[in-house]
């Protein structure tokens, strides 16, 4: 049986593809390459270029491959962008998830692991780790679009021979410890990537949005989870579903948070480099503190994180950023040589 990974050329999706291949799975990737990269998909995975909302392509993929499960990573993830372009987020994150689920049900595919987000919680009334039973009060269209997808999957599972696990991510960071893939999208909004770029000199500095939150140093607190631990949770979710597990929504985080300033200090410490920091007002839609209670995932999925260390997360992110810089330099050199060869 094969596993279809939508968005498998992107950041988390490409890590998932590698993890599935390492586990001996047969892997199929669907990606439109809007933010992902073809080179990020291992040669051992079968690749389809296309959109997860393509009503004609999905049945073809299901017919051509013996797929028993879908891991759905394709979607838009930037909170500020979702505030400015809410309809795009409802289309890409919600409408296309409905199309994917409908196609899976029609094809008799019974298992789906969904990439959800802690943004469904909004801002909680205190700083204790948030449980899955907490009120879901998204503050932005990104969180709302993911919550609507969760509700659709719940209803589909109640009506059909179809089960899902929705993993609510907290802040994903870091890169594959073996250096095979990492966050490569230019202009990415992830704090640790931005700070690593600044430390390596590819950004002039880091902007901090909001210094007046009700937190110890006034900056927002987030639960940062290493991407390797996150994809391990997906493998556990896949095994859970194949064993007959019931539909499940579970948090993926470490249960403790770091402020923006603590993260920036860690990047300076690990890299040995300093960089400029600029301070500005809060961004619309940002919560003060979001930290996971992941007891459910640990208990039901038997998930045991192995990389709960901020310095380790930063170290792998910096290593990948350095590799990307080398890739870009080599690419520019090769382009220059080709231009010289044709007389430019």
């Amino acid at each position: 049986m094969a596993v279809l990974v939508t968005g498998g050329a992107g950041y988390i999706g490409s890590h998932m593809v590698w993890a599935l291949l390492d586990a001996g799975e047969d892997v199929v990737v669907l990606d439109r390459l809007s933010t992902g990269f073809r080179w990020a998909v291992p040669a051992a995975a079968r690749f389809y270029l296309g959109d997860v909302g393509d009503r004609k392509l999905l049945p073809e993929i299901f017919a051509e491959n013996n797929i028993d499960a879908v891991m759905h990573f394709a979607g838009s993830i930037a909170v500020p962008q979702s505030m400015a372009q809410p309809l795009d987020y409802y289309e890409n994150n919600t409408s296309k998830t409905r199309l994917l689920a409908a196609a899976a049900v029609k094809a008799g595919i019974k298992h789906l692991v969904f990439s959800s987000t802690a943004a469904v919680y909004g801002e909680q009334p205190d700083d204790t780790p948030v449980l899955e039973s907490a009120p879901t009060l998204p503050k932005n269209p990104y969180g709302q679009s993911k919550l609507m997808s969760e509700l659709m999957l719940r209803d589909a599972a109640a009506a059909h021979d179809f089960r899902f696990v929705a993993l609510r991510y907290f802040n994903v960071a870091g890169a594959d410890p073996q250096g095979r893939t990492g966050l490569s999208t230019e202009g990415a909004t992830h704090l640790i990537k931005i700070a690593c770029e600044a430390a390596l000199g590819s950004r002039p500095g880091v902007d901090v949005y909001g210094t007046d939150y009700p937190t110890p140093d006034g900056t927002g607190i987030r639960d940062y989870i290493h991407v390797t631990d996150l994809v391990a949770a997906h493998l556990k979710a896949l095994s859970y579903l194949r064993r007959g597990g019931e539909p499940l929504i579970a948090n993926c985080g470490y249960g403790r948070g770091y402020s923006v300033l603590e993260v920036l200090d860690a990047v300076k410490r690990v890299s040995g480099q300093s960089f400029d920091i600029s301070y500005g007002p809060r961004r619309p839609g940002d919560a003060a503190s979001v930290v996971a209670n992941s007891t459910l995932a640990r208990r039901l999925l038997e998930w045991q994180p192995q990389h709960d260390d901020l310095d380790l997360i930063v170290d792998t992110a910096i290593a990948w950023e350095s590799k990307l810089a080398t890739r870009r330099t080599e690419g520019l050199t090769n382009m220059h040589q080709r231009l010289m060869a044709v007389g430019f």
Side-chain angles (χ1 to χ4, degrees):
M1 305 298 287
V3 179
L4 172 64
V5 180
T6 70
Y11 173 38
I12 304 173
S14 63
H15 283 86
M16 188 75 255
V17 172
W18 277 110
L20 287 164
L21 292 172
D22 290 345
E25 297 281 352
D26 187 22
V27 183
V28 178
V29 172
L30 171 62
D31 201 299
R32 66 183 184 181
L33 301 182
S34 59
T35 57
F37 299 88
R38 180 65 182 87
W39 54 257
V41 180
R46 296 188 295 285
F47 178 77
Y48 289 82
L49 175 63
D51 195 290
V52 72
D54 189 326
R55 296 171 184 265
K56 293 183 179 180
L57 180 58
L58 286 173
E60 291 177 10
I61 294 173
F62 294 149
E64 293 170 3
N65 301 276
N66 191 23
I67 292 170
D68 81 315
V70 176
M71 290 191 169
H72 181 31
F73 297 93
S76 303
I77 63 169
V79 169
Q81 185 184 56
S82 79
M83 301 291 285
Q85 303 171 24
L87 296 180
D88 290 347
Y89 272 67
Y90 289 121
E91 177 185 15
N92 205 34
N93 291 353
T94 309
S95 297
K96 291 181 181 179
T97 296
R98 189 203 68 78
L99 289 171
L100 175 64
V105 168
K106 186 174 182 179
I109 296 169
K110 300 179 180 180
H111 309 134
L112 188 146
V113 183
F114 177 60
S115 169
S116 192
T117 172
V120 301
Y121 296 117
E123 188 168 2
Q124 296 303 307
D126 54 47
D127 60 358
T128 59
V130 60
L131 288 162
E132 291 85 356
S133 57
T136 47
L137 302 168
K139 295 186 66 176
N140 50 67
Y142 166 56
Q144 193 75 269
S145 67
K146 289 288 191 174
L147 179 59
M148 293 170 70
S149 296
E150 287 185 9
L151 295 173
M152 286 193 301
L153 293 173
R154 180 201 65 186
D155 292 342
H160 302 285
D161 185 12
F162 171 81
R163 287 170 291 113
F164 74 97
V165 172
L167 297 177
R168 290 175 175 170
Y169 305 172
F170 283 64
N171 280 53
V172 189
D176 175 41
Q178 298 182 52
R180 297 173 296 184
T181 189
L183 179 54
S184 307
T185 306
E186 292 188 12
T189 57
H190 299 63
L191 174 63
I192 289 179
K193 178 176 177 65
I194 290 171
C196 289
E197 289 177 341
L200 295 179
S202 58
R203 278 184 186 256
V206 177
D207 294 323
V208 174
Y209 299 99
T211 57
D212 59 347
Y213 286 106
T215 61
D217 64 17
T219 63
I221 292 175
R222 296 293 184 270
D223 189 335
Y224 293 89
I225 176 173
H226 197 288
V227 63
T228 301
D229 280 335
L230 182 66
V231 299
H234 285 73
L235 284 176
K236 292 290 188 179
L238 177 61
S239 177
Y240 167 85
L241 288 172
R242 285 173 170 170
R243 295 194 309 268
E246 292 300 313
L248 176 68
I249 295 173
N251 292 333
C252 281
Y254 292 146
R256 60 174 174 172
Y258 296 94
S259 73
V260 172
L261 295 184
E262 287 175 323
V263 169
L264 298 183
D265 286 343
V267 173
K268 290 180 179 181
R269 180 174 62 251
V270 174
S271 69
Q273 302 294 324
S274 187
F275 46 83
D276 292 334
I277 301 174
S278 300
Y279 299 91
R282 302 183 189 186
R283 295 180 300 189
D286 280 351
S289 177
V290 187
V291 177
N293 182 319
S294 59
T295 302
L296 194 62
R298 295 170 192 256
R299 178 169 58 86
L300 294 183
L301 302 181
E302 300 176 351
W303 175 58
Q304 296 181 337
Q306 303 295 316
H307 302 83
D308 181 5
D309 183 294
L310 181 60
D311 283 10
L312 172 63
I313 293 172
V314 169
D315 185 59
T316 58
I318 289 175
W320 178 253
E321 207 58 46
S322 298
K323 191 169 184 175
L324 272 183
T326 300
R327 176 187 287 271
R328 294 188 190 105
T329 300
E330 291 174 347
L332 289 172
T333 300
N334 292 338
M335 182 181 295
H336 177 71
Q337 291 173 345
R338 289 196 296 271
L339 290 172
M340 292 294 290
V342 296
F344 279 90

